[in-house]
Amino acid sequence: MPLPQTGDPGPELKSPREPGRSQSLPVSTWKSNSLKEQSAHRGDSRDGVKPSLGVLKRTLFRTSLRASAGKPKEDSGLLRRSSRFLFWSLRRALDEGLTAGQTQGTGGPERPSGVPDGVSGQAAAGTETGDPEPQAESKSVADLITERQLVKAFEQLRYLETQLVADKTSRTFTQDPTAYARRAMDLCLHYDGMAAEIGAIVREALSSEGVDRDALAELAQVVHLEEEAHQTSQAEGDFLSTPRHWRQHWEDAVRLSAQERVRQAGAKVSPAAAEGASDLAQLLAELGGVVRQDLQKVRLEMQPAYEATDFPVWETYLRAFHNAVAQRLQELARDARGCEQLYVLLDWAANVYGSPDFLGAPDLALPTEPLPPLLEPALWARLESDYTSFLETKITSCFDSILQLEQNRWEAVEDPEVLQGLYHAPLSIDVHMLVAEHVKAAGAISAELEATTLQICARALCLFVPRFEKAFLASKAVSEWYLGAYINACVELRTSLLARFPGPIKELEKPLVAATNSFQKHLLQIVQQDMQPLFKVLYTKSWLTQDTLRPLMDKAVNFAHHLEHVTPPLAQETLQEVHRFVVREYLGQVLRPHERFRGLNRVNGAHKMNLDAQAISHTFQGLGSEAKWLDQAILCVAEILGETYKDDIRRHLETLIQSYPDIRRDHILAILALRRLGRRRNQSLLQHTQGLLRAAHGLGPPSRRVLFEEIEVPTSVDVLITCI
């Protein structure tokens, strides 16, 4: 029985007898108009007039979509009954809504066979004569979807969609844009209804006893048709003729269906509540039976229904069940208690699920290559024995104890021992004994367990090293003694562990190298902070008459005594860094002087620089520094400042640039500003050195030979004058 019409039809479309009006409206405008319409309908309801069918249709449809989205695990039968009720309730409104505009104009796409004029299937023939002949009522799109005649439903929707696009292109909706928005929204809602029905078909395929092959074939065909019809995305904001991604929706439904089936298997039994291994074995047996039965059903009954299409049915279901079983087994392993339950899990994973006969037929065996491992290596090791289940926690606890012992030594201000001429801390011996003890105990059980234990030790040690480094550097025990001892400990761990346990321990090299570099950096910072204030008196008037370099050299000698107790390669590297630091800071003080010498003072300053350069070179050579390339830097600058024969300055600049390719034009300007030559000579020297600088920069400095690059030279008035 048709419902009474209201004075305001709201979103209802015109009947085929009425002339159509062109409608075009953006989504935002449609939303605001819908709100206004709903407000108007509420006012009509208070006056005793019922709301329009279009408003009722969208309200019911959105409520249904929100309810189904909020309860994805709801019973499929209930969802299907709700879908039938929804589409039955909306049928008459959709009949009139989608029919409107089909009679607008004579042009448009050709109607597919079997598609009525409008979704309701009401006859339009004979209306002009006033004596229509009775026709069999055609089924609406809602009925077709509910009855799972998805192909016919899609053909009707596709026809109406094509017609609506054509009407929009021909500007049919110019006078009434809301009509286009209402009809487009109706189409999209029905497309969403078809997608929901696809998910329901997938869920019911496994949960029911039999297989509805017709429904599955219908599903595969409609997905294929949709992909052919909607191949490319439309312009932004246009939701007509856009791809619906039903194939991805099908894959997601398969994955969720497999997870639900695996989750329901043995849900009443949990390892935490089980008294022994028998209950866990019963749970795993039920889980294996469900997986075996479902995969056999997929291969033998469901896959043939998809043969007409290119759906990867077996691969998709196989991967979905494998991932679901892996997730379920990991949950069971986390809750397992005792050695017996651990071995039951291990046996089922290795010998039952991994068996070629798990699915009951050789051609249904689970492939091993394409699928990821059922259990992670660490979890597999825990299932292998009760020992490995607690090994990782135990080793972490042991490392915590080692850190606590070292912290006790820091608080007691105990200086490290000197063993075989090197600073020594018990850290390296404690770590080495811990790893060797657990690896040996695991090797007595099996080679696989030994390798797993070694991996666990390596991972725990990779986490321990940066944690130890951070704790030590934050303590008050940072000193030359402890830094030297921990540098030696890191080097010893790298050499001894990598030599005895090659392979998994190799990943330990990176954090150990990082910790060694960090300790070496802080060791240099100590001596640099100690020396830094002494450079401020250089290249001053008092420096001309006093031996201000002696305190610096004394600091270097005292620091070198600590380096004698550090591993030789790192000791030499650190000593060269100190040597480079002294030369760099000396030149930086000269090129950024607080006072500028003229005449005799400049000559005396150059002579003093020459003596200082020789003293620095002799001191560090006596300490064992092999950085002889640093000796010429201060000497070259001193010769330029003290050269009385100005033509030889060009030769000194060439030597300086060739010896130190990282020098820049700013440094040359600063040196010439100190020398105070004439404008023409400065310009001549700058032009001459320009080519040398380009050639030197093209070659680049040798490895680790960086000096002038780290010297900042601020632009001063004298430098600007020299440049001009």
Side-chain angles (χ1 to χ4, degrees), residues 537-550 586 597 601-615 634-635 638:
V537 297
L538 297 178
Y539 212 75
T540 60
K541 290 184 178 180
S542 60
W543 165 74
L544 292 174
T545 57
Q546 299 177 6
D547 188 6
T548 57
L549 188 66
R550 174 57 56 187
Y586 190 103
F597 298 146
N601 286 339
R602 176 176 54 77
V603 175
N604 293 336
H607 179 68
K608 184 67 180 295
M609 286 179 60
N610 196 310
L611 296 178
D612 288 348
Q614 296 179 14
I634 300 176
L635 286 176

Side-chain angles (χ1 to χ4, degrees), residues 627-673:
K628 296 182 179 180
W629 63 277
L630 294 168
D631 295 342
Q632 294 296 322
I634 300 176
L635 286 176
C636 286
V637 176
E639 289 174 350
I640 293 173
L641 297 181
E643 181 62 61
T644 57
Y645 186 62
K646 296 182 180 181
D647 291 340
D648 287 346
I649 294 178
R650 179 189 299 262
R651 178 171 51 85
H652 297 319
L653 287 173
E654 292 175 355
T655 303
L656 182 63
I657 295 173
Q658 293 172 358
S659 301
Y660 304 95
D662 63 327
I663 195 171
R664 300 190 305 270
R665 186 171 182 269
D666 295 342
H667 301 115
I668 302 298
L669 288 173
I671 294 173
L672 293 179

Side-chain angles (χ1 to χ4, degrees), residues 421-423 480 484-485 487-488 523 562-571:
L422 300 177
Y423 288 138
E480 295 92 333
I487 289 175
N488 296 337
L523 186 62
H562 292 291
L563 296 180
E564 294 176 358
H565 304 293
V566 179
T567 304
L570 288 175

Side-chain angles (χ1 to χ4, degrees), residues 380-399:
W380 185 270
R382 190 173 74 83
L383 295 176
E384 193 172 13
S385 71
D386 186 58
Y387 169 77
T388 54
S389 64
F390 301 102
L391 180 61
E392 196 163 359
T393 303
K394 182 179 180 181
I395 289 179
T396 302
S397 177
C398 291
F399 279 122

Side-chain angles (χ1 to χ4, degrees), residues 365-601:
L366 295 175
T368 56
E369 288 299 329
L371 298 177
L374 188 63
L375 294 174
E376 296 296 330
L379 182 58
W380 185 270
R382 190 173 74 83
L383 295 176
E384 193 172 13
S385 71
D386 186 58
Y387 169 77
T388 54
S389 64
F390 301 102
L391 180 61
E392 196 163 359
T393 303
K394 182 179 180 181
I395 289 179
T396 302
S397 177
C398 291
F399 279 122
D400 291 341
S401 300
I402 293 176
L403 177 58
Q404 186 61 48
L405 289 175
E406 293 297 323
Q407 288 176 336
N408 294 338
R409 294 189 182 94
W410 303 339
E411 294 176 358
V413 196
E414 296 180 3
D415 291 340
E417 302 175 354
V418 178
L419 184 63
Q420 296 181 352
L422 300 177
Y423 288 138
H424 172 74
L427 175 67
S428 59
I429 294 179
D430 293 342
V431 172
H432 196 282
M433 289 182 61
L434 174 65
V435 175
E437 177 185 353
H438 286 90
V439 171
K440 181 179 179 181
I445 300 176
S446 67
E448 293 78 8
L449 184 58
E450 180 182 7
T452 302
T453 303
L454 189 57
Q455 292 176 355
I456 293 175
C457 291
R459 288 196 299 269
L461 192 53
C462 286
L463 296 176
F464 168 76
V465 171
R467 188 159 60 96
F468 172 82
E469 171 195 343
K470 182 178 180 180
F472 169 67
L473 295 179
S475 68
K476 298 180 180 180
V478 178
S479 62
E480 295 92 333
W481 296 276
Y482 272 109
L483 288 169
Y486 290 140
I487 289 175
N488 296 337
C490 291
V491 173
E492 184 179 351
L493 286 174
R494 285 179 58 194
T495 55
S496 61
L497 288 179
L498 290 176
R500 183 171 179 179
F501 306 112
I505 294 295
K506 189 176 182 180
E507 67 186 32
L508 181 61
E509 184 173 6
K510 184 176 180 179
L512 283 175
V513 170
T516 303
N517 294 337
S518 177
F519 293 147
Q520 184 182 18
K521 178 181 177 181
H522 283 79
L523 186 62
L524 285 169
Q525 287 178 353
I526 290 177
V527 66
Q528 289 172 358
Q529 292 174 359
D530 201 16
M531 289 181 171
Q532 193 69 50
L534 301 178
F535 287 101
K536 295 181 179 180
V537 297
L538 297 178
Y539 212 75
T540 60
K541 290 184 178 180
S542 60
W543 165 74
L544 292 174
T545 57
Q546 299 177 6
D547 188 6
T548 57
L549 188 66
R550 174 57 56 187
L552 274 171
M553 296 299 97
D554 291 341
K555 296 285 186 182
V557 172
N558 293 334
F559 180 74
H561 290 329
H562 292 291
L563 296 180
E564 294 176 358
H565 304 293
V566 179
T567 304
L570 288 175
Q572 177 61 221
E573 183 179 327
T574 306
L575 181 61
Q576 291 185 23
E577 281 297 311
V578 176
H579 188 179
R580 190 174 70 92
F581 169 76
V582 170
V583 175
R584 183 188 68 202
E585 293 301 316
Y586 190 103
L587 287 174
Q589 188 66 25
V590 172
L591 298 181
R592 300 188 304 267
H594 297 288
E595 301 178 18
R596 294 185 179 274
F597 298 146
R598 298 173 180 270
L600 184 60
N601 286 339

